[in-house]
Amino acid sequence: YSILITLLMIWNHIGFALDNIFFHGWDKTEIIKPLFVVGNARSGTTWLHRLITTNTARFTTLKTWEIVFAASITWRLLFFTLYNIDSKWLRGMGYSFIQKLENILLGEPSIRHKSVHHVGLMEAEEDEWLMLHVAYAQLTLFFYPLGCGLRGSLITFDCPNLCGKSDTSNSLSYIVKREIFQYYKKCVQKHMFFHTHYQFRHTTGTKKSLIFV
């Protein structure tokens, strides 16, 4: 897991760097009326999130493939271009292969959809996974279940006592918290920039963002 996560971080940060070269003005993208879905685990937030995003005329959201492999504009445009080439010249064989591979790794859709939180590359997903690329994702505990005590300040943000610590001095500094939120805002701006200027450039109406926390 450590090697895979490190490679993903490097891959996405290369994309972030290329964004600043090829896509001037992305950081001026306005985030219009974002909708935040917040709730306790197992309270139905994922179901509500995915239900709302079926209204594609008004909402756009982060999907698993975007969060994991294409947090940058550059890589999204690359994958979107490859998808168009595959659809036009290869009759979708590349996409079919990816779907078969996904079914092998994650199980058939009919089985996955019966789980509490089914996962799929094209499914809307929690945006907390964006923090994986800057090593501040609480959800990484899925991969390192014994790491809470070792990475208290990184995992629990401003609540270090969640890992059995009573010393609040171990919490993240204001500067670090500010950097995290600035990074998150940039990721949302990149998402809106791509879906406004590329994938949805031929649709009518204004796209609005749906952010799941």
Side-chain angles (χ1 to χ4, degrees), residues 73 76-77 80 190-199:
I73 303 167
R76 290 187 201 201
L77 185 58
F80 189 60
K190 290 173 186 286
H191 176 82
M192 295 305 300
F193 182 91
F194 173 77
H195 285 275
T196 300
H197 291 84
Y198 294 97
Q199 189 168 3

Side-chain angles (χ1 to χ4, degrees), residues 3-213:
I3 295 175
L4 177 60
I5 291 174
T6 300
L7 290 175
L8 284 174
M9 290 175 66
I10 294 173
W11 166 260
N12 281 287
H13 279 275
I14 291 174
F16 293 152
L18 293 175
D19 286 348
N20 295 328
I21 298 175
F22 297 118
F23 303 100
H24 299 289
W26 67 263
D27 55 340
K28 302 297 190 298
T29 302
E30 184 180 3
I31 303 172
I32 303 174
K33 296 181 179 179
L35 174 62
F36 293 86
V37 180
V38 184
N40 296 325
R42 309 280 77 86
S43 63
T45 49
T46 299
W47 177 83
L48 178 61
H49 174 216
R50 293 175 177 176
L51 175 64
I52 294 175
T53 53
T54 58
N55 183 357
T56 56
R58 291 195 59 189
F59 298 105
T60 178
T61 191
L62 291 157
K63 295 184 178 180
T64 303
W65 75 269
E66 294 175 302
I67 295 173
V68 178
F69 301 109
S72 66
I73 303 167
T74 302
W75 295 150
R76 290 187 201 201
L77 185 58
L78 171 64
F79 288 129
F80 189 60
T81 302
L82 292 175
Y83 172 79
N84 285 333
I85 293 174
D86 177 58
S87 299
K88 184 175 182 180
W89 300 104
L90 301 176
R91 298 182 179 180
M93 288 190 296
Y95 184 68
S96 296
F97 172 77
I98 292 175
Q99 285 185 311
K100 291 179 181 178
L101 182 61
E102 180 183 25
N103 293 339
I104 293 174
L105 297 175
L106 302 177
E108 294 292 334
S110 58
I111 298 175
R112 272 186 279 150
H113 290 178
K114 294 179 181 179
S115 63
V116 175
H117 186 122
H118 59 273
V119 179
L121 288 175
M122 299 305 296
E123 294 282 359
E125 194 48 79
E126 299 178 18
D127 57 9
E128 184 179 346
W129 285 111
L130 286 170
M131 300 300 115
L132 181 70
H133 307 310
V134 288
Y136 283 97
Q138 180 183 356
L139 294 174
T140 52
L141 285 178
F142 283 119
F143 306 114
Y144 307 102
L146 300 179
C148 188
L150 298 175
R151 304 179 64 214
S153 61
L154 300 181
I155 297 299
T156 57
F157 206 66
D158 59 347
C159 301
N161 56 346
L162 291 179
C163 280
K165 299 178 181 295
S166 58
D167 183 7
T168 56
S169 64
N170 191 47
S171 61
L172 296 174
S173 67
Y174 170 79
I175 295 176
V176 174
K177 294 176 186 177
R178 181 181 176 86
E179 290 176 348
I180 292 173
F181 280 111
Q182 287 177 336
Y183 162 76
Y184 175 76
K185 179 181 178 180
K186 290 177 181 178
C187 287
V188 175
Q189 286 180 307
K190 290 173 186 286
H191 176 82
M192 295 305 300
F193 182 91
F194 173 77
H195 285 275
T196 300
H197 291 84
Y198 294 97
Q199 189 168 3
F200 296 113
R201 63 181 181 275
H202 297 303
T203 59
T204 58
T206 303
K207 280 285 178 180
K208 298 181 181 179
S209 58
L210 170 64
I211 313 301
F212 175 81
V213 179

